[in-house]
Amino acid sequence: NFAVHRGRFVRSAPGGEDWVDAELGAWRARFLLTSGGALASLRHGGGAELLDRADRGRLVQQSYYGAEDGSLWAGRPWRYNPVQGGEWRGRGGLVTAAELAPGESFRCTSIPRHWASGGLLEECEMRAGWCAEGPLLRARFRFEYRGEKGHPPRHQELPAVFFDRSLSTLVVPLPDGGGFDRREPGFPNEPVDWSAGWAAYVGADGRGLGVCVPAAEEATCYRFRDGGETDCSYLAPVKTFALAPGLSFEYEAYFAFGTPAEIAAAFAAVAEAR
């Protein structure tokens, strides 16, 4: 079991969700302990909600893919798929340790569930650490695979990011600093030009949330629409590799808020530091 130290832990009614509230610089973050400690709510200053948490597969979280294994997701053939938040029927990933240093950082360790079968994948461990870095919110993710089975190379989400339905316009920097491409993606997945190393979704006021992952090689996106509260926007920076015995994979993700020009300026510091 786990304990949250030096911070605010919000326990809901029995059978409900358990949260950790964190103030990290200008960011107001809420981590859902009943979803493997994934980031489930994010606001900048006193602004509006930036994320979607309609089910265990949304949120901002680690998710990896392996071989087809006979599992079914709602009747569809699926594959080995450790997901930090949990499984499609609603059971969450298991947090084994969590620590909040108010105004400084939040860290957690968890065991993911197989998205389709729902089983806890005890051969996997996911770690995440969150902190403010200047105007940015920085996450450091680590995934360890201790299973004996090797898997084929797959596109891996670094991480999966689900945005609030109010952020409907995808913004991608054009090459050579030539402005921004803006569009509303379709469904299902579409490729994203990742040559600048970041992309964002913005709302009607022109402001939104940007995601920068230097380790990613490409990215994918979609806009899910059914006219209701389950509408959302999705972006995942992607890198292709295999889940092999003994794998330990670590990477950093950065988040920025503002107009596309403000987000670009914030992420320029990340590029300069590399």
Side-chain angles (χ1 to χ4, degrees):
N1 298 353
F2 62 88
V4 176
H5 305 286
R6 299 170 52 203
R8 184 181 177 202
F9 171 55
V10 182
R11 182 175 293 280
S12 65
E17 305 284 19
D18 292 343
W19 297 84
V20 170
D21 288 352
E23 295 187 5
L24 304 174
W27 302 88
R28 304 297 178 265
R30 302 192 79 197
F31 300 91
L32 192 51
L33 297 180
T34 37
S35 284
L39 179 62
S41 175
L42 186 64
R43 299 172 186 268
H44 188 269
E49 178 63 64
L50 298 169
L51 301 181
D52 184 274
R53 59 173 184 272
D55 60 44
R56 304 290 183 196
R58 295 196 180 182
L59 318 166
V60 177
Q61 62 175 315
Q62 297 188 69
S63 175
Y64 301 92
Y65 297 89
E68 286 81 2
D69 58 5
S71 62
L72 297 175
W73 168 19
R76 297 163 48 195
W78 205 239
R79 59 191 61 86
Y80 187 79
N81 185 193
V83 174
Q84 181 183 356
E87 50 106 356
W88 73 278
R89 297 176 187 87
R91 290 180 294 177
L94 177 64
V95 171
T96 57
E99 183 174 0
L100 173 66
E104 298 176 15
S105 64
F106 173 73
R107 295 181 295 172
C108 73
T109 303
S110 63
I111 300 172
R113 287 193 183 272
H114 191 303
W115 173 249
S117 74
L120 277 173
L121 299 178
E122 296 187 7
E123 69 274 19
C124 300
E125 181 179 87
M126 294 181 174
R127 297 189 181 194
W130 295 82
C131 67
E133 189 171 281
L136 302 172
L137 181 66
R138 188 191 76 188
R140 178 170 291 150
F141 296 107
R142 182 172 179 173
F143 175 66
E144 294 188 358
Y145 174 65
R146 301 163 183 159
E148 297 180 356
K149 176 181 173 60
H151 295 265
R154 298 284 192 192
H155 285 175
Q156 312 293 359
E157 297 170 295
L158 305 183
V161 183
F162 285 85
F163 300 74
D164 186 80
R165 62 183 180 275
S166 64
L167 305 181
S168 59
T169 300
L170 179 73
V171 177
V172 180
L174 292 171
D176 303 319
F180 305 97
D181 175 61
R182 294 173 169 85
R183 74 180 194 274
E184 182 169 317
F187 186 85
N189 294 61
E190 297 180 4
V192 177
D193 180 355
W194 200 249
S195 56
W198 69 270
Y201 275 99
V202 300
D205 65 354
R207 298 187 302 166
L209 181 66
V211 182
C212 173
V213 179
E217 300 165 336
E218 52 190 304
T220 185
C221 72
Y222 62 71
R223 171 77 175 160
F224 179 77
R225 299 174 60 185
D226 68 0
E229 293 187 357
T230 58
D231 288 5
C232 71
S233 300
Y234 161 81
L235 173 69
V238 170
K239 184 178 179 70
T240 300
F241 59 89
L243 305 187
L247 172 72
S248 181
F249 178 72
E250 187 171 339
Y251 69 96
E252 292 181 337
Y254 300 85
F255 300 82
F257 176 81
T259 64
E262 291 168 339
I263 292 170
F267 286 152
V270 177
E272 291 171 3
R274 298 188 66 82

